[in-house]
Amino acid sequence: MKINRLLSIIGMVCLLHTIPLKGQDQFTLSGYLKDATNGEALIGATIKVKDLNTGNVSNVYGFYSITLPKGNYEIDYRYVGYQPTTRQVTLTENVRFNVELKTSEQQLQEVVISGKAANDHVSNIEMSTEELEIKSIQKMPAFAGEVDVIRSIQLLPGVSTVGEGAAGFNVRGGSVGQNLVLLDEAPVYQSSHLMGFFSVFNPDAVKDVKLYKGGIPAKYGGRLSSILDIRMKEGNSKEYDISGGIGTVFSRFAVEGPIKKDKASFIVAGRRSYADVIAKLFTDALDDNTSLYFYDLTAKTNFNINENNRIYLSGYWGRDVLGFAENQGFDWGNRTASFRWNHLFSEKLFSNLTMFYSNYDYGFKFGDKDDLFQVGSEVSTVNIKPEFNWFVNTNNEITFGGEAILYLFKPGTLIDVSAGDETNSSLEKRRALESGIYVSNDQKVTERLRLQYGLRLSYFGYLGGTVYQYGDTIPGATKPILNEYKYRKWGAIADFWNPAPRLSFVYQLTPAASIKGSYNRMNQYIHLISNTTATTPIDVWQPSTNNVAPQSADQVALGYFQNLANNQYELSAEAYHKWMYNQVDYIDGADVFVNKYLESQLLSGRGRAYGLELYAKRNTGKLNGWISYTLGWTEMKVDGINYGSDLETRKGRWYPTRYDQRHNVKLTAFYELNERITFSANFAYISGTPTTFPTDRITVGGYVIPYVNNNGRNNYRIPDYHRLDLGMTINNVWRGKKGRSGEDNIAISVYNAYARQNPFSIYFSQEKGRPSPATPVTTNANQVSIIGTVVPAISYNFKF
């Protein structure tokens, strides 16, 4: 069936469900829900019409809209952690009604780990979706005493990492490059500071963290495994706030407040580590030209032009610097800038126009001005994205929109200076254009059944430059170059069109139990090139080309969701299966470092990931938290890899990927001793990840040369990973007491409490000092552990 027919059918279905009943006067109640204390929008707050058993939830900007017949109604506004408010509304015309909810004092005095409606876990159509309140993240024990967004989501089911010191995260067996990380809708290409120990997101500036593992809405595209959508605070529109913290590794400082009360506000938050400053006080090993630090600055402002228009400006600037001398070192960093314009065309039609710029680059250099070696890489993105929410009636909400993305890749700059003579061996810049349109409908079919269905159509064009054409060879060998020629600058060397249908449902068995299911197809047009054990800052992004096809994946999921004890407990079980196509792997010995003919060494194959996620959570009370268990398999099949004795065709066999983790257990617990002291703990157990060990060896001249046979890809697993972290938060240490305004706390944490030496990788070395040449050569396996000791930390945090 043609794409335009699919879009037409979905549009007709959506339209049919929007026609009101004949003879009924329909009016719309709409507005914004905000925090009465600081004016921040409340995302996902519930609005219910009493006696009608209908309602809606606020969107990511706090906007809601409900269309009802003419009459008098009692409207209930709720958000967990806030005092519910009930208002009487008479609908004889369209009504704009903004509501500010006050924080519940009772909720302030206990740990609450869910900011949604009490039964949202069961009734919401979203599945395979995790959301963390920043207040919960701030209470978790953390490495070096510093709370972290990325490390926090790794405690959720289906999310993991290949080890300490690995940048990014893995979702349901996918690679780091298959996750789309968004900060106020701008993509962040490298989400880690300090080689993966900290994320680039300042918790003082973060409001909401949402992770989609499956059932991904049609408005998202571009990655196979997940969408991590991080929303920044708008800034306090009521009064000025100053907050920050002094920790073991870095310090934070943030200021926010109104530019004009209830009309415009801002927030600026910054961090800077000081490992190099402290180290220089105790050792002479770090001279004046040595640097070892990271920093980031996050800023945002918004202005309410009138009741129908609001604009937002936000930006992020961050960098890691590892300098060894004046002209020697390594650095990398992100920059993003976003402009957003909210506009209300009517009480039913909400729009948001986003334009953003995102950049990631790295570079390292060694030597001096006469003898210098300098390498770098960069990727930049410019995007425009209009999106619309049409609140048709209480049973239908249609979302539609599009986006256009222009990519600029600098896959490798290489400059070599020898005796003052410069040689520039940099790779050619690459350009690409990605665009997409989408439409979806969230439909309440009956009191028990709700559907969300839609379609995303995407286009990708690899734009002019040098075209490389390779010949065929046996699988697993370097392809021969046949031809290379120049193509016009903005012409499409290769282009791709791909549809991506989406479907989700929720069927409520009882008010406290439901069954949910979802299907989504995802397409990914840019690839993270890395053949190291773990993702590093020097990995390179490359576009799909005439030689490298886009990746795609189909995922289905089915789950059972249950609430117990008046919604105090949440239980869920989800099974998922993901089929992946055009997955990128490498020939043995591939050279991915500034390689003009890199594509000749890339292989393409299939992947599959499937498993079961079990989850139990207690939302409120003195003792609360969650426990999860994931049973999962992740495998690939690539011709030229793992082909055994089939030397003629080299047809590949299934082998586990680096992210295949059979068992994954996570436990997070909070205990409120009293109003001032809260204890917390995290425990993680993860099965050992696959790695490749030599299968045979030969000895030449007294030296061992190991090699791997044709069945050896990821043929062994490193030992299991497990770790316990402990934490304690003491509130109102100085501020908040009688006569002092504001609040503060001391956070004490113990990371890796029983000093587990978790393996990151294992390598082999030859034992030295043989008694005689006739003595057999002995090789030893050596384990590399990034952290093998207890890491205590303390930090002081304040807000006033």
Side-chain angles (χ1 to χ4, degrees):
M1 184 179 291
K2 294 182 178 180
I3 299 302
N4 57 355
R5 283 184 60 85
L6 283 172
L7 287 169
S8 299
I9 290 171
I10 289 178
M12 290 176 62
V13 171
C14 293
L15 185 61
L16 287 172
H17 287 284
T18 65
I19 301 173
L21 296 176
K22 186 176 180 180
Q24 285 187 325
D25 291 330
Q26 300 277 323
F27 298 103
T28 300
L29 171 67
S30 63
Y32 290 87
L33 272 80
K34 297 183 179 182
D35 186 317
T37 304
N38 54 33
E40 290 279 352
L42 298 179
I43 302 173
T46 58
I47 304 95
K48 281 202 171 184
V49 183
K50 289 189 175 181
D51 300 327
L52 290 186
N53 194 28
T54 190
N56 209 334
V57 296
S58 58
N59 68 11
V60 294
Y61 298 99
F63 180 77
Y64 74 95
S65 177
I66 304 176
T67 299
L68 299 166
K70 178 180 178 180
N72 298 318
Y73 297 97
E74 195 173 6
I75 311 296
D76 188 46
Y77 298 90
R78 289 180 179 270
Y79 194 70
V80 172
Y82 290 77
Q83 298 176 10
T85 298
T86 301
R87 302 292 174 88
Q88 302 290 332
V89 176
T90 299
L91 284 184
T92 56
E93 60 181 355
N94 293 334
V95 175
R96 180 73 57 83
F97 196 73
N98 299 327
V99 176
E100 291 187 342
L101 298 183
K102 295 180 179 179
T103 304
S104 169
E105 292 300 322
Q106 179 182 359
Q107 297 286 358
L108 274 177
Q109 295 173 5
E110 63 181 19
V111 179
V112 179
I113 61 174
S114 175
K116 298 301 179 184
N119 68 338
D120 185 77
H121 171 71
V122 169
S123 61
N124 197 324
I125 197 167
E126 292 179 342
M127 68 177 303
S128 305
T129 303
E130 309 291 346
E131 193 158 6
L132 278 176
E133 291 286 304
I134 193 63
K135 292 178 181 179
S136 300
I137 294 174
Q138 290 172 338
K139 293 180 180 295
M140 296 179 183
F143 176 74
E146 302 296 341
V147 298
D148 187 86
V149 170
I150 299 297
R151 281 186 168 269
S152 298
I153 67 170
Q154 291 171 6
L155 295 169
L156 298 171
V159 186
S160 63
T161 178
V162 295
E164 282 149 340
F169 57 97
N170 306 100
V171 176
R172 288 183 171 175
S175 68
V176 171
Q178 292 174 345
N179 303 316
L180 179 59
V181 180
L182 301 174
L183 179 62
D184 268 5
E185 301 195 45
V188 177
Y189 288 99
Q190 173 56 252
S191 61
S192 298
H193 280 310
L194 202 63
M195 308 300 288
F197 285 105
F198 303 99
S199 78
V200 299
F201 308 109
N202 188 335
D204 292 331
V206 172
K207 177 170 69 175
D208 187 71
V209 179
K210 193 169 188 176
L211 176 69
Y212 296 90
K213 302 177 294 183
I216 299 174
K219 69 177 181 178
Y220 294 111
R223 299 294 188 276
L224 295 194
S225 289
S226 76
I227 308 295
L228 179 61
D229 191 356
I230 298 174
R231 300 280 170 166
M232 292 170 53
K233 294 178 180 178
E234 275 87 47
N236 195 322
S237 64
K238 306 289 187 182
E239 59 185 11
Y240 288 96
D241 276 339
I242 295 176
S243 61
I246 302 171
T248 310
V249 176
F250 58 79
S251 289
R252 317 180 319 274
F253 186 80
V255 58
E256 59 181 306
I259 299 173
K260 186 175 182 180
K261 189 173 181 179
D262 291 328
K263 194 171 184 67
S265 62
F266 75 95
I267 180 171
V268 178
R271 298 187 296 178
R272 207 277 194 187
S273 68
Y274 35 67
D276 52 343
V277 176
I278 295 176
K280 287 178 181 179
L281 300 176
F282 299 98
T283 179
D284 295 329
L286 300 178
D287 59 30
D288 292 337
N289 292 321
T290 301
S291 53
L292 175 62
Y293 65 91
F294 68 82
Y295 67 87
D296 54 50
L297 177 68
T298 307
K300 185 173 183 178
T301 185
N302 71 93
F303 181 66
N304 188 14
I305 300 172
N306 53 44
E307 64 177 9
N308 292 326
N309 295 278
R310 192 181 193 101
I311 59 173
Y312 303 82
L313 284 171
S314 59
Y316 169 88
W317 303 265
R319 201 148 198 90
D320 286 66
V321 178
L322 304 176
F324 312 117
E326 184 176 355
N327 278 302
Q328 300 186 44
F330 175 34
D331 66 290
W332 68 91
N334 296 278
R335 289 173 290 168
T336 72
S338 299
F339 167 81
R340 287 178 292 164
W341 171 32
N342 288 175
H343 176 68
L344 283 175
F345 287 94
S346 69
E347 289 77 8
K348 289 186 176 185
L349 185 59
F350 177 94
S351 72
N352 176 67
L353 175 67
T354 299
M355 293 183 287
F356 65 73
Y357 167 78
S358 180
N359 171 273
Y360 172 72
D361 72 282
Y362 78 80
F364 59 87
K365 59 182 179 180
F366 298 93
D368 54 37
K369 63 179 181 179
D370 294 323
D371 293 282
L372 179 67
F373 181 75
Q374 184 172 335
V375 178
S377 181
E378 184 176 352
V379 56
S380 299
T381 304
V382 178
N383 179 294
I384 182 169
K385 182 168 66 173
E387 55 184 339
F388 302 86
N389 289 79
W390 182 16
F391 300 88
V392 182
N393 51 43
T394 55
N395 293 328
N396 293 273
E397 179 183 341
I398 295 177
T399 303
F400 60 97
E403 67 177 326
I405 309 170
L406 179 64
Y407 294 100
L408 175 62
F409 300 90
K410 295 181 181 178
T413 57
L414 175 57
I415 299 174
D416 182 25
V417 179
S418 179
D421 295 327
E422 180 179 307
T423 302
N424 191 332
S425 303
S426 299
L427 302 181
E428 183 182 57
K429 296 178 182 178
R430 292 185 165 189
R431 299 174 182 85
L433 175 67
E434 181 179 349
S435 59
I437 56 174
Y438 66 88
V439 60
S440 69
N441 186 26
D442 189 339
Q443 180 188 350
K444 183 179 178 182
V445 181
T446 68
E447 292 299 321
R448 293 192 174 192
L449 178 62
R450 184 175 161 194
L451 300 176
Q452 186 179 85
Y453 46 89
L455 177 68
R456 182 182 183 89
L457 174 63
S458 60
Y459 164 80
F460 186 86
Y462 172 47
L463 304 180
T466 301
V467 179
Y468 299 96
Q469 294 178 327
Y470 299 100
D472 294 329
T473 185
I474 59 173
T478 301
K479 302 182 186 77
I481 179 73
L482 297 180
N483 190 22
E484 59 180 282
Y485 60 91
K486 289 286 187 179
Y487 199 78
R488 67 181 187 275
K489 187 173 182 180
W490 294 103
I493 297 172
D495 52 13
F496 309 91
W497 292 87
N498 284 297
R502 314 288 170 86
L503 174 65
S504 299
F505 76 86
V506 55
Y507 183 80
Q508 285 205 238
L509 303 172
T510 69
S514 67
I515 296 174
K516 300 182 185 183
S518 67
Y519 162 77
N520 62 249
R521 164 162 277 237
M522 303 295 289
N523 299 295
Q524 179 167 339
Y525 298 102
I526 65 173
H527 315 273
L528 185 61
I529 304 300
S530 172
N531 64 354
T532 56
T533 299
T535 302
T536 68
I538 63 172
D539 296 332
V540 177
W541 288 94
Q542 294 268 22
S544 296
T545 69
N546 55 307
N547 299 304
V548 181
Q551 303 177 58
S552 61
D554 295 299
Q555 182 177 196
V556 294
L558 183 66
Y560 175 78
F561 298 79
Q562 174 81 57
N563 283 5
L564 300 173
N566 196 26
N567 300 316
Q568 289 189 49
Y569 297 91
E570 297 179 4
L571 306 176
S572 67
E574 287 190 42
Y576 66 90
H577 199 299
K578 183 163 54 176
W579 297 266
M580 296 170 281
Y581 311 98
N582 299 325
Q583 299 299 284
V584 175
D585 212 321
Y586 312 87
I587 67 171
D588 292 331
D591 178 15
V592 302
F593 184 72
V594 194
N595 184 357
K596 180 179 179 180
Y597 303 111
L598 170 65
E599 294 172 350
S600 69
Q601 300 181 356
L602 300 183
L603 301 174
S604 179
R606 291 185 292 146
R608 62 188 182 192
Y610 50 95
L612 175 68
E613 296 172 358
L614 304 177
Y615 188 47
K617 179 167 71 170
R618 187 183 185 194
N619 284 317
T620 60
K622 285 186 172 292
L623 176 63
N624 55 57
W626 65 84
I627 184 171
S628 69
Y629 169 70
T630 303
L631 174 67
W633 288 262
T634 308
E635 300 168 313
M636 285 184 66
K637 185 178 182 181
V638 182
D639 290 344
I641 297 177
N642 238 45
Y643 52 85
S645 59
D646 183 7
L647 301 179
E648 183 176 350
T649 63
R650 296 193 175 189
K651 293 292 184 182
R653 304 173 183 176
W654 290 103
Y655 61 91
T657 71
R658 184 72 175 88
Y659 322 109
D660 182 59
Q661 297 171 333
R662 190 71 66 246
H663 305 285
N664 191 321
V665 180
K666 303 289 177 61
L667 171 65
T668 299
F670 307 95
Y671 180 72
E672 181 195 12
L673 182 64
N674 51 47
E675 293 182 5
R676 291 190 61 210
I677 299 176
T678 300
F679 295 100
S680 58
N682 298 329
F683 176 76
Y685 170 84
I686 304 172
S687 295
T689 55
T691 188
T692 301
F693 279 5
T695 56
D696 296 287
R697 71 178 193 173
I698 59 175
T699 304
V700 179
Y703 291 93
V704 172
I705 302 176
Y707 66 92
V708 182
N709 65 25
N710 300 328
N711 254 346
R713 181 67 66 97
N714 290 341
N715 57 359
Y716 189 81
R717 290 182 182 269
I718 63 176
D720 296 345
Y721 178 103
H722 50 89
R723 190 191 77 238
L724 174 67
D725 307 328
L726 302 173
M728 180 175 69
T729 303
I730 306 173
N731 295 309
N732 298 328
V733 178
W734 176 254
R735 314 201 68 85
K737 293 185 177 180
K738 186 176 181 180
R740 303 189 186 101
S741 62
E743 58 190 65
D744 65 352
N745 67 67
I746 289 178
I748 302 170
S749 66
V750 179
Y751 185 88
N752 197 22
Y754 52 84
R756 164 72 174 175
Q757 293 186 342
N758 284 302
F760 181 76
S761 65
I762 294 176
Y763 69 95
F764 293 86
S765 62
Q766 181 174 321
E767 193 173 281
K768 297 180 180 180
R770 289 189 298 158
S772 69
T775 305
V777 178
T778 302
T779 56
N780 297 318
N782 304 279
Q783 175 177 300
V784 176
S785 297
I786 305 299
I787 295 176
T789 186
V790 177
V791 183
I794 185 171
S795 62
Y796 173 72
N797 306 287
F798 59 87
K799 182 178 181 180
F800 58 89

